[in-house]
Amino acid sequence: MNLRYSISLLALSVAASLAGPVAAQQSPAASEANAVEEVIVTATRREQRLIEVPVAVTAVGGVQLEASGVTDIRELTSLAPSVQFQTPGGGADSSIRIRGIGTTSTNPGLESSVGVLIDGVIRPRTGVALSELGDLEGIEVLRGPQGTLFGRNTSSGLINITTRRPSLTSTGGRVELGVGNYDYRRAAASFTTPLIEDKVGLRLEGSYEERDGFHKDANSSETMDLIDRYFLRGKLLIEPNERVRWLLSADYTQRDENCCMAILYRAGSTYSTVNTLAGARGYVGYPASQTFDRVGAKTPGRFNQEDIQDWGVSAQGDYDLGFANLTSITAFRSWDARRGQDFDHSGVDLGFFEPNGFLQGFDVFTQELRLQGTKGRLDWLVGAFYSDEEVLLDNAYRMGADYPNIYGGAATFQAATLAAFTPGDGARGIFNQD
């Protein structure tokens, strides 16, 4: 259980009024507190009230998001039950489903059938979207096929996330502190101020989060699946006149964590063999514990590591041309995940990725143009989208000292092959996609 405390720092205004009879009516503050938040969505690439949108959409406004404490896109399931996330092997191996439909393969060469947009910029793979969100203005979950209206085909649905913009009129900020079990700690802060009144506004925000691992290693005092991450974002809003608006944004996320430990669910045919081989080295093969004890095992000297760097810059320009509105969104994003893992998840030395032995990376440049307007009863929109994407997968697996002892009886292993075996032998695969 995590507890969060939030403190808002707002500009104060004091107004003097003449004393007079007390009217029997609700105060403005009470009226505002009881008012229902009107949610504006962009499900059709236009700002519309939720009630007017002819799309199956779940929309959550900023007030509800702040009250719910959602900071990571995976926590969205508490607000939109039709969304499901799977993370079988770390942040790099993730998938999203809407209404149970989605791309379940974590192959980095495949695009997800559930699109994710953050501030109008498409995230090309699911793992790239699983990052800190910062202060949120709203989240929309569009269920069902959305065509290419958001840059690329989203046959299962779309998650559209909008973060808060800088203020051009007032200075304010927010500080949030959180604590929880497993020594969980989180601190977040944001600050916004006008640099030039009604013309230029700045917004800065950041967060740091850490938590001990909740899976114990039977062969060491180490705990696995811990959290250690920080996030920074800056935005600059420029409105020189009523017809032009620019929004410049830059963000950076760093994760230095260990992931992932698998817990034995059911003993198989090699259970006793694994325990015997590991026991000969003084290790525990598989802990003789219940699944929900959260105790696993890995070979001493092996590292379950996941380091992720995610950063990006974007520039959005909105122009009122009189007969129509022109929007341009230019963005570049870079995402890099480096992992090491004892992938047999036991105390026997079977197979592993060395530290940084499993690399995934994406570099993506996107350019979007939209021109939309209205004339009488006609509401029209035309646009173009360009994407230049480079995908890299570089993985080198190694075989441990006990590999021939487990697979030595397999028909594919000849005596000469086993005689030439040296612990650490393996294979490397490098894949590039443009």
Side-chain angles (χ1 to χ4, degrees):
M1 178 182 68
N2 298 327
L3 303 176
R4 291 190 174 95
Y5 302 92
S6 181
I7 303 174
S8 295
L9 310 175
L10 303 175
L12 301 178
S13 64
V14 179
S17 62
L18 296 176
V22 178
Q25 61 182 12
Q26 190 177 32
S27 68
S31 177
E32 182 179 350
N34 294 330
V36 177
E37 181 185 12
E38 183 177 65
V39 179
I40 303 298
V41 298
T42 57
T44 60
R45 280 303 199 187
R46 305 165 177 84
E47 291 190 356
Q48 295 174 284
R49 294 189 304 161
L50 177 60
I51 195 173
E52 299 173 346
V53 177
V55 179
V57 54
T58 298
V60 185
V63 175
Q64 185 178 356
L65 286 168
E66 187 172 346
S68 66
V70 170
T71 60
D72 188 295
I73 190 173
R74 283 168 288 194
E75 298 172 353
L76 184 59
T77 54
S78 62
L79 301 175
S82 61
V83 180
Q84 298 94 35
F85 294 89
Q86 285 186 318
T87 309
D93 298 330
S94 304
S95 61
I96 305 178
R97 301 180 186 181
I98 294 180
R99 291 173 169 172
I101 302 173
T103 304
T104 57
S105 173
T106 58
N107 187 316
L110 300 177
E111 295 182 5
S112 173
S113 58
V114 177
V116 177
L117 262 77
I118 301 180
D119 288 333
V121 179
I122 191 76
R123 300 299 174 100
R125 298 297 186 274
T126 299
V128 182
L130 301 183
S131 61
E132 178 80 19
L133 298 176
D135 288 348
L136 296 171
E137 189 68 34
I139 294 180
E140 305 164 20
V141 178
L142 282 60
R143 301 185 293 276
Q146 306 302 317
T148 57
L149 189 61
F150 291 87
R152 58 182 64 192
N153 190 29
T154 52
S155 55
S156 299
L158 180 90
I159 300 176
N160 187 20
I161 301 170
T162 306
T163 63
R164 291 184 179 176
R165 293 185 173 187
S167 174
L168 298 178
T169 58
S170 62
T171 297
R174 188 175 68 89
V175 176
E176 180 180 306
L177 302 174
V179 295
N181 55 353
Y182 295 96
D183 205 17
Y184 174 85
R185 298 179 297 277
R186 183 177 187 274
S190 62
F191 174 76
T192 182
T193 186
L195 300 180
I196 301 177
E197 191 75 19
D198 296 326
K199 299 291 185 181
V200 181
L202 174 68
R203 183 178 186 86
L204 301 173
E205 56 185 300
S207 67
Y208 179 75
E209 184 177 14
E210 65 176 18
R211 188 207 64 206
D212 292 343
F214 53 80
H215 285 148
K216 300 176 182 178
D217 178 19
N219 290 315
S220 71
S221 59
E222 188 178 2
T223 60
M224 306 302 298
D225 298 304
L226 59 80
I227 291 177
D228 186 357
R229 61 187 67 166
Y230 68 88
F231 159 80
L232 299 170
R233 178 161 59 209
K235 285 187 175 185
L236 187 67
L237 179 61
I238 305 172
E239 293 188 5
N241 54 60
E242 295 181 353
R243 302 173 68 91
V244 177
R245 179 175 63 195
W246 279 94
L247 179 63
L248 310 179
S249 179
D251 65 89
Y252 180 85
T253 300
Q254 174 76 44
R255 299 185 182 188
D256 296 316
E257 303 171 347
N258 59 31
C259 180
C260 301
M261 175 171 281
I263 304 301
L264 180 66
Y265 173 69
R266 182 170 53 204
S269 59
T270 60
Y271 179 82
S272 58
T273 304
V274 167
N275 282 324
T276 299
L277 291 172
R281 300 175 184 271
Y283 306 148
V284 175
Y286 289 119
S289 60
Q290 299 297 317
T291 301
F292 291 102
D293 288 344
R294 293 180 172 176
V295 178
K298 65 180 183 65
T299 305
R302 305 300 181 212
F303 298 92
N304 284 19
Q305 159 228 3
E306 183 174 60
D307 298 338
I308 297 178
Q309 289 184 343
D310 178 21
W311 66 273
V313 293
S314 66
Q316 176 175 340
D318 296 287
Y319 311 91
D320 184 357
L321 304 179
F323 72 97
N325 294 318
L326 175 65
T327 297
S328 169
I329 302 177
T330 307
F332 177 81
R333 297 210 61 85
S334 179
W335 186 86
D336 179 276
R338 300 174 184 269
R339 294 171 56 189
Q341 190 169 41
D342 182 6
F343 56 71
D344 58 74
H345 302 292
S346 70
V348 68
D349 191 16
L350 179 59
F352 60 96
F353 290 113
E354 293 181 335
N356 301 324
F358 191 102
L359 168 65
Q360 286 183 245
F362 304 96
D363 287 334
V364 185
F365 171 82
T366 57
Q367 173 63 56
E368 180 177 0
L369 290 172
R370 295 197 310 271
L371 186 66
Q372 62 187 88
T374 58
K375 186 175 180 60
R377 301 181 63 182
L378 176 64
D379 189 347
W380 58 273
L381 182 152
V382 294
F385 179 82
Y386 171 79
S387 175
D388 183 4
E389 177 179 312
E390 296 182 6
V391 183
L392 170 66
L393 174 62
D394 184 348
N395 63 89
Y397 74 85
R398 305 291 182 184
M399 295 175 287
D402 291 321
Y403 192 90
N405 297 323
I406 295 290
Y407 294 106
T412 55
F413 287 88
Q414 304 299 322
T417 303
L418 295 177
F421 170 80
T422 300
D425 286 349
R428 181 183 183 189
I430 302 176
F431 306 88
N432 289 284
Q433 178 173 293
D434 295 329

